[in-house]
Amino acid sequence: MENNTIEELAPVIFWSISNGENGKFTISTLVPPLINEKKRLLSQQVDLMKQGIQGFNLIHYREMKLGQLRMLFIQDDVAKKGLIPLLNMISMDPNITQRLYLVIVQGNFDEYIASQLIKQENLDYFLYRMFHHYERNNQGEITVVNLHQYLKRLYTPYSDPILPVFKVNKENFAYKGTAVFKDDKLITTATHIDDHIFQLISNDYYLKLLPIPELSVSIGQLRSHVDMKFNEDYSSLSVKVDLSGRIEDYQADMQVLDQGQLLRLNQEVERYMETHTSDLLVKLQKLKVDPIQIGNLTLAPFRQPMSEETWLSYWEKMKFEVDYEMRLETLTIDNKDK
C-alpha cells in the first residue's frame, strides 16, 4: 500500500534521455514544486530506466510520480541505436499515459533547460502546451507524435515511424524536421523542403507557410489534396497533388498581379514541387522505408493482404510519376477579405 499526501509528491512533466558514460543512460528531469520554491534540474546515470526514478527519490526530498509525465526528449545518438528498450518500460507502466509526446533532440537539451530556468521558470509546462497546441490544431508546421501513434506505426506492416526533431543550444529550441525510423532506429531526417512536402502529402495536408527561396516566393495558407494510385503490377506509382495557396511574399521580376505572369509562376512552382517530391520518394525508396504509408494502398476488401516482404520488394523497384496542379492567388484589394 502506497500512502502519500499531496505535499510529499513531485509530479514529473518530462524526461530527457541521452548517452552517459560506460554504456549508461543519462536521465534528467525538472522537479516542478507544488509550493513556491526554485526548480531544480536533476540528472542520474543509470543502466535501466526505472533506476532513474529510484535514484531521483534518493536525492530529492519528495517522492517522484510519473502520472503527469507528458514528454520524452531523446537525444538523436540514442535514437540511432533503437528506441524499443526505452519505450518498453514506458509503455508497460500503467501510470504513464500512451499520449505522451516523443521528441528527438540534436544537442544538449539539459544545458538548454538549465540556461533558461531563470528566464522562464515554467519552461517544462510551456513546452508541453506548445506540442499540445500544434497537435490539436493540425497546423502543418511541425510533426507531433505521441507514444501510441509511434508504436502503432512501428507494428504496422506498411508504415515506418516518424518523430519530430528539434535542434537545441543554450538559447534556442528550434524545430528542424521529421525523423524517419527503420524499425525502431533513426536513419534519416527530412528537413526544409523535404519536411514541407511530407506535411503536404502525408501528415496534415496543410502548411501555414511554404517559403521557396530558389523562386523568391513564399506561399501561405497552402492546402493539398493528394491522390496516389498504383498500376496493375505495382511497378509504378502515380502521385497527383492539387495545391491551392496565396502568394504572401515575392521578390523577383514577375508582375504577379498580371494573370499571364501569375500563370508562369504557377508553372515554376509546380515543376519545383514535382522535382523535389520525386527526389524525396527516391530517397525513402533507397532507404527501404515508407513513412508516408503508401503500402496501405495495397489493402482492399476481399483481397489477401500482401506480406511486408512482398510489399518492400515492390517498393524498392517502383517508378514514380508526380504531377502537381497549383492554384495561386494574390492578396489584393478585391480578395483580401475572403
Side-chain angles (χ1 to χ4, degrees):
M1 178 70 69
E2 294 186 11
N3 296 307
N4 300 117
T5 56
I6 292 296
E7 60 270 16
E8 294 171 348
L9 300 181
V12 175
I13 295 179
F14 79 87
W15 268 4
S16 166
I17 302 173
S18 59
N19 283 321
E21 299 176 357
N22 301 319
K24 295 178 180 289
F25 294 116
T26 297
I27 300 179
S28 304
T29 191
L30 196 63
V31 182
L34 297 178
I35 59 176
N36 187 20
E37 62 183 41
K38 188 175 181 179
K39 291 194 175 186
R40 298 172 56 196
L41 182 67
L42 304 180
S43 297
Q44 290 282 313
Q45 291 209 23
V46 296
D47 295 294
L48 299 170
M49 295 281 285
K50 274 300 179 77
Q51 263 186 292
I53 284 293
Q54 183 184 46
F56 289 143
N57 285 334
L58 295 176
I59 63 175
H60 188 62
Y61 61 95
R62 291 195 181 98
E63 183 180 357
M64 293 195 180
K65 294 292 184 179
L66 298 180
Q68 295 301 316
L69 185 65
R70 290 294 181 267
M71 298 175 292
L72 197 62
F73 296 96
I74 306 167
Q75 191 180 53
D76 58 343
D77 289 342
V78 175
K80 291 174 183 176
K81 297 177 180 178
L83 296 185
I84 284 301
L86 305 178
L87 300 185
N88 276 342
M89 186 284 296
I90 297 291
S91 59
M92 288 188 296
D93 192 325
N95 295 318
I96 299 176
T97 175
Q98 291 281 302
R99 305 296 177 179
L100 87 161
Y101 300 119
L102 303 179
V103 185
I104 303 299
V105 293
Q106 296 179 349
N108 194 325
F109 182 75
D110 293 353
E111 187 177 70
Y112 167 73
I113 291 291
S115 68
Q116 296 297 310
L117 268 181
I118 298 176
K119 302 175 183 177
Q120 199 169 14
E121 184 178 355
N122 295 317
L123 180 59
D124 49 350
Y125 175 73
F126 290 131
L127 287 174
Y128 165 72
R129 293 300 303 176
M130 179 189 73
F131 287 109
H132 182 66
H133 166 79
Y134 282 108
E135 178 187 48
R136 181 185 58 199
N137 293 327
N138 296 322
Q139 292 186 209
E141 293 180 74
I142 70 173
T143 297
V144 180
V145 179
N146 62 42
L147 176 62
H148 171 76
Q149 294 165 334
Y150 178 90
L151 293 176
K152 181 179 179 181
R153 277 176 169 260
L154 178 64
Y155 294 115
T156 299
Y158 310 116
S159 66
D160 289 289
I162 58 171
L163 288 179
V165 179
F166 283 78
K167 191 168 185 176
V168 296
N169 54 39
K170 283 187 177 181
E171 299 299 327
N172 296 304
F173 180 76
Y175 179 71
K176 184 173 181 181
T178 300
V180 179
F181 288 74
K182 184 174 179 60
D183 295 326
D184 68 324
K185 295 179 175 63
L186 171 63
I187 60 168
T188 190
T189 300
T191 59
H192 305 300
I193 186 61
D194 284 349
D195 188 52
H196 293 321
I197 290 172
F198 180 80
Q199 302 294 336
L200 285 172
I201 69 174
S202 179
N203 196 22
D204 291 322
Y205 305 101
Y206 173 77
L207 275 178
K208 190 173 183 179
L209 185 67
L210 172 63
I212 307 179
E214 294 89 338
L215 302 179
S216 302
V217 65
S218 291
I219 305 170
Q221 309 299 318
L222 196 59
R223 289 174 171 82
S224 62
H225 176 75
V226 183
D227 183 29
M228 297 186 184
K229 291 182 180 178
F230 299 116
N231 65 350
E232 291 184 359
D233 61 358
Y234 297 104
S235 62
S236 68
L237 173 70
S238 170
V239 181
K240 295 184 178 180
V241 185
D242 287 330
L243 285 180
S244 61
R246 186 176 68 206
I247 298 175
E248 298 199 351
D249 186 16
Y250 183 68
Q251 300 293 331
D253 299 329
M254 291 186 193
Q255 299 297 322
V256 293
L257 297 181
D258 178 87
Q259 288 301 312
Q261 297 193 47
L262 180 61
L263 180 59
R264 282 176 52 200
L265 182 60
N266 263 275
Q267 293 170 343
E268 288 187 6
V269 173
E270 286 174 358
R271 288 193 294 269
Y272 178 89
M273 296 297 289
E274 287 168 358
T275 299
H276 284 275
T277 301
S278 295
D279 290 346
L280 174 61
L281 291 172
V282 170
K283 289 177 190 175
L284 298 175
Q285 185 184 50
K286 289 180 178 178
L287 293 169
K288 301 181 181 180
V289 293
D290 181 16
I292 301 174
Q293 303 182 90
I294 296 171
N296 286 336
L297 299 176
T298 63
L299 300 174
F302 313 112
R303 184 195 298 172
Q304 180 71 24
M306 66 175 64
S307 68
E308 185 176 3
E309 292 75 17
T310 302
W311 159 242
L312 287 176
S313 69
Y314 285 125
W315 175 239
E316 292 172 10
K317 303 172 184 176
M318 197 170 290
K319 304 297 182 183
F320 305 113
E321 300 172 3
V322 180
D323 180 45
Y324 273 76
E325 185 70 30
M326 188 78 208
R327 294 185 301 278
L328 291 177
E329 67 174 25
T330 57
L331 185 61
T332 65
I333 298 298
D334 295 330
N335 65 18
K336 70 177 182 178
D337 295 326
K338 291 182 180 180

